[in-house]
């Protein structure tokens, strides 16, 4: 664990140094592309949109590098940018009438079920549909906690929500997913 912290501290220091910023930024992109891609992907569902939003995330990070003071962890800062990009995208889509953030009619779950680039067995597909059927905030918290294994404190920093509220959202999400999954245990 110390090694990872030392590496992150070193990367943060090199991002602040004009002589090493470009190489450090390339290293940061290499290290964080995959986790950020999947964080965004679980929110927007479409691979092309995810690629665009990931690129926007790194462009915004590059343009805001001088504002990163290191008070938050680098990963937290990047996740916050990525999530804000995804939420902004989803809000634009909602205003365009393309989709609802809370998806009461199950459009997102249907999209997940039909997505050719999301593989997995039947149980995995049902889990993805169950997660997609959650309200946006619960879906976001569930994805960050369950799939990204983030600590509540880090999620709190990213979302600006109390740990208690996050735990409640996660608990409600788990209960809804369990209820959704019970339908398949009984053959519904």
């Amino acid at each position: 664990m110390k090694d990872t912290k030392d590496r992150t501290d070193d990367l943060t220091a090199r991002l602040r140094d004009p002589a090493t910023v470009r190489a450090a930024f390339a290293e940061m992109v290499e290290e964080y592309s995959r986790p950020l891609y999947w964080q965004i992907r679980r929110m927007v569902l479409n691979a092309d949109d995810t690629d665009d939003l990931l690129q926007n995330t790194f462009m915004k990070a590059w343009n805001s590098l001088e504002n990163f003071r290191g008070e938050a962890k680098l990963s937290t800062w990047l996740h916050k940018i990525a999530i804000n990009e995804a939420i902004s995208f989803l809000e634009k889509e909602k205003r365009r009438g393309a989709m609802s953030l809370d998806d009461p009619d199950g459009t997102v779950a249907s999209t997940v079920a039909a997505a050719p680039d999301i593989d997995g067995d039947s149980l995995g597909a049902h889990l993805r549909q169950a997660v997609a059927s959650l309200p946006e905030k619960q879906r976001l918290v569930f994805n960050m906690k369950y799939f990204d294994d983030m600590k509540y404190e880090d999620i709190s920093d990213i979302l600006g929500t109390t740990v208690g509220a996050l735990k409640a959202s996660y608990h409600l999400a788990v209960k809804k997913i369990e209820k959704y999954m019970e339908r398949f245990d009984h053959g519904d």
Side-chain angles (χ1 to χ4, degrees):
M1 186 71 161
K2 186 175 188 249
D3 184 43
T4 301
K5 183 180 178 347
D6 291 343
R7 219 176 60 231
T8 302
D9 289 346
D10 176 60
L11 180 59
T12 301
R14 289 184 294 124
L15 285 167
R16 289 195 191 126
D17 183 349
T20 59
V21 67
R22 288 191 184 277
F25 191 82
E27 186 179 322
M28 181 186 77
V29 169
E30 178 71 27
E31 184 172 337
Y32 291 102
S33 285
R34 184 169 174 79
L36 291 174
Y37 174 89
W38 285 107
Q39 178 63 55
I40 295 167
R41 181 78 163 87
R42 285 188 292 271
M43 291 176 69
V44 301
L45 305 176
N46 179 290
D48 291 334
D49 292 336
T50 301
D51 290 337
D52 291 345
L53 291 169
L54 181 62
Q55 184 176 358
N56 291 349
T57 297
F58 284 120
M59 287 186 333
K60 197 163 269 185
W62 175 258
N63 291 329
S64 302
L65 214 45
E66 69 277 357
N67 298 328
F68 178 67
R69 296 180 301 275
E71 293 167 358
K73 293 191 289 188
L74 185 60
S75 62
T76 301
W77 181 66
L78 289 169
H79 274 278
K80 188 172 195 162
I81 294 170
I83 288 167
N84 286 336
E85 284 295 305
I87 289 172
S88 293
F89 171 82
L90 291 171
E91 286 171 350
K92 285 178 193 169
E93 291 293 295
K94 182 180 178 183
R95 281 192 303 273
R96 261 187 15 172
M99 71 183 300
S100 166
L101 288 178
D102 289 330
D103 194 36
D105 61 354
T107 306
V108 174
S110 300
T111 302
V112 168
D117 56 339
I118 298 180
D119 61 355
D121 60 11
S122 177
L123 182 60
H126 291 312
L127 175 60
R128 288 189 301 275
Q129 289 174 342
V131 172
S133 72
L134 294 171
E136 182 218 354
K137 176 88 179 219
Q138 289 176 10
R139 185 169 59 236
L140 183 59
V141 171
F142 183 83
N143 283 333
M144 295 172 85
K145 183 71 181 148
Y146 183 82
F147 290 111
D148 296 332
D149 198 26
M150 293 178 104
K151 296 177 183 168
Y152 284 115
E153 292 77 14
D154 293 337
I155 300 170
S156 175
D157 289 342
I158 292 167
L159 298 179
T161 306
T162 66
V163 170
L166 293 171
K167 287 180 178 180
S169 285
Y170 184 76
H171 177 75
L172 288 170
V174 168
K175 291 296 179 198
K176 288 177 182 176
I177 289 170
E178 286 172 350
K179 186 175 181 177
Y180 187 98
M181 297 299 281
E182 284 175 4
R183 294 189 316 182
F184 299 103
D185 288 343
H186 302 301
D188 292 348

